[in-house]
Amino acid sequence: DAVSIWFFLKKQGYRISLGYAVYVSITGAYYSNITPGATGGQPMQIYYLKKKNVPIGIGTSALLVKFFCFQSVLAFVGAVLWIRYGAFIDLQVGANKWILITGFVYNAVMVAGLVTLVVNRRIIAFILRMILRLGARLRIVRDREATELRWMSALDVFHGSILMVGKNPLTLLPQLLLATVQLLSQMLVTWFIYRGFQLTGSSCPEIVALAVMLYLSAAYTPLPGASGAQEGVFALYFGQIFPENLLFMALLIWRFFTYYLSLILGAVTTVVHTLRRNHREAKNGRARKTGRITEMQQEEEEQRE
């Protein structure tokens, strides 16, 4: 995920360190997992990219391209695996196939809708103006004209970034490859748990295929981290794979590595970053009082950090 962000920005002419890209990725995963529908992650990532002088339009395009590539790979890999291991999947899913079909339809609509929004600038501009109009009525937006000017400027930058990708579609190939590695690495967690219990009978591709179906089936749940849906679908799909006495333990281990671990890492990263920022601000505040540092020197120090 971090390499995907780093690579896209590099191609767009904006260089950030790979380490900072990892920080942005962890922060995004954390906020996505604690907000409904994973809506909080991308705004926070755009915010932290802006702190490294990446324009909002460029940061938004980086995340949308990454999201588009991941969802496209998810749909393609899911379709291929369902065709190849259809009998095995049907046996495990049974009468719950409607959940899986709903997931596929949702994913297809998401990809198609994203492409429509990205290609058609007028639709995005219309949506932004509707949001501004609502914000003005609710008195959230004070200076509507100035805000609209900034938003339209960011939209121009965003659209220009997307057009650069459209003119050279081969730049999507590394993104698609990275998305494939990311998806399969996540799906392999279930296989390692399966083998960790020394279970046999199902092959690695079969377990991975079922894990992809699980991801598709629960992804559209609008709860933080798809809580409840993920656990329920896991129990439905893997109820015949794991013995009854091991199913609950397998579910807990799987959920820890696919959800709670990112929460823990994100929380620790956020706390450490906040403490470092508060310490730096306090230190610089004392230095300004004694005349040992100017505001310009402070800004330069923050940029280096």
Side-chain angles (χ1 to χ4, degrees):
D1 190 80
V3 172
S4 178
I5 296 173
W6 172 83
F7 181 81
F8 181 90
L9 293 178
K10 180 181 177 182
K11 288 297 182 181
Q12 294 278 333
Y14 296 89
R15 293 182 177 272
I16 63 172
S17 68
L18 185 57
Y20 192 78
V22 171
Y23 169 71
V24 171
S25 179
I26 291 176
T27 303
Y30 171 69
Y31 283 101
S32 291
N33 284 329
I34 64 174
T35 52
T39 53
Q42 289 77 16
M44 292 304 298
Q45 288 178 315
I46 294 170
Y47 167 75
Y48 282 111
L49 289 175
K50 184 69 171 60
K51 292 174 73 69
K52 289 296 182 180
N53 298 319
V54 177
I56 293 176
I58 300 295
T60 303
S61 63
L63 299 180
L64 284 180
V65 167
K66 179 171 67 69
F67 178 78
F68 167 77
C69 290
F70 185 84
Q71 294 300 123
S72 298
V73 166
L74 176 62
F76 177 76
V77 171
V80 171
L81 291 175
W82 199 355
I83 294 172
R84 175 62 180 83
Y85 300 100
F88 174 79
I89 292 172
D90 290 346
L91 180 63
Q92 310 307 323
V93 174
N96 302 298
K97 189 181 294 184
W98 66 270
I99 303 176
L100 179 54
I101 295 174
T102 303
F104 264 100
V105 172
Y106 171 81
N107 185 78
V109 171
M110 286 287 291
V111 173
L114 182 61
V115 171
T116 302
L117 284 175
V118 167
V119 173
N120 197 321
R121 183 187 181 281
R122 293 182 179 179
I123 295 179
I124 304 178
F126 174 76
I127 294 174
L128 291 178
R129 289 191 176 98
M130 290 294 292
I131 295 174
L132 282 175
R133 188 177 302 173
L134 178 62
R137 288 182 178 178
L138 297 176
R139 296 183 179 180
I140 298 174
V141 178
R142 296 181 180 180
D143 191 338
R144 179 179 168 184
E145 292 183 359
T147 303
E148 181 174 343
L149 184 62
R150 290 196 302 270
W151 283 22
M152 292 302 114
S153 177
L155 176 58
D156 290 336
V157 175
F158 163 76
H159 202 249
S161 174
I162 294 299
L163 289 177
M164 286 179 61
V165 176
K167 292 178 181 178
N168 189 12
L170 288 179
T171 57
L172 288 178
L173 183 58
Q175 298 285 341
L176 293 170
L177 292 175
L178 287 169
T180 303
V181 173
Q182 182 181 357
L183 175 65
L184 294 180
S185 64
Q186 291 179 7
M187 300 305 108
L188 280 169
V189 170
T190 311
W191 164 251
F192 285 119
I193 296 172
Y194 180 77
R195 292 299 299 129
F197 283 119
Q198 299 183 354
L199 298 175
T200 58
S202 299
S203 66
C204 180
E206 289 175 334
I207 297 295
V208 169
L210 198 57
V212 172
M213 301 305 122
L214 164 61
Y215 191 96
L216 279 163
S217 299
Y220 57 89
T221 305
L223 297 174
S227 298
Q230 292 273 10
E231 292 85 350
V233 178
F234 184 94
L236 287 175
Y237 287 9
F238 287 94
Q240 301 180 61
I241 302 296
F242 290 95
E244 185 176 353
N245 62 320
L246 296 177
L247 180 61
F248 182 69
M249 183 60 67
L251 190 157
L252 289 180
I253 298 173
W254 169 77
R255 195 61 169 150
F256 173 79
F257 281 105
T258 58
Y259 178 62
Y260 292 109
L261 182 58
S262 65
L263 278 181
I264 295 171
L265 289 175
V268 171
T269 302
T270 302
V271 170
V272 170
H273 177 77
T274 302
L275 291 175
R276 289 181 60 188
R277 183 184 60 193
N278 292 342
H279 174 73
R280 183 183 67 246
E281 291 176 351
K283 180 181 176 181
N284 290 337
R286 291 193 299 268
R288 283 200 306 273
K289 289 180 180 180
T290 58
R292 288 181 297 173
I293 186 173
T294 65
E295 291 186 4
M296 183 177 296
Q297 289 172 328
Q298 179 182 345
E299 292 178 0
E300 292 176 352
E301 181 182 340
E302 290 176 353
Q303 286 295 330
R304 285 195 299 270
E305 184 172 343

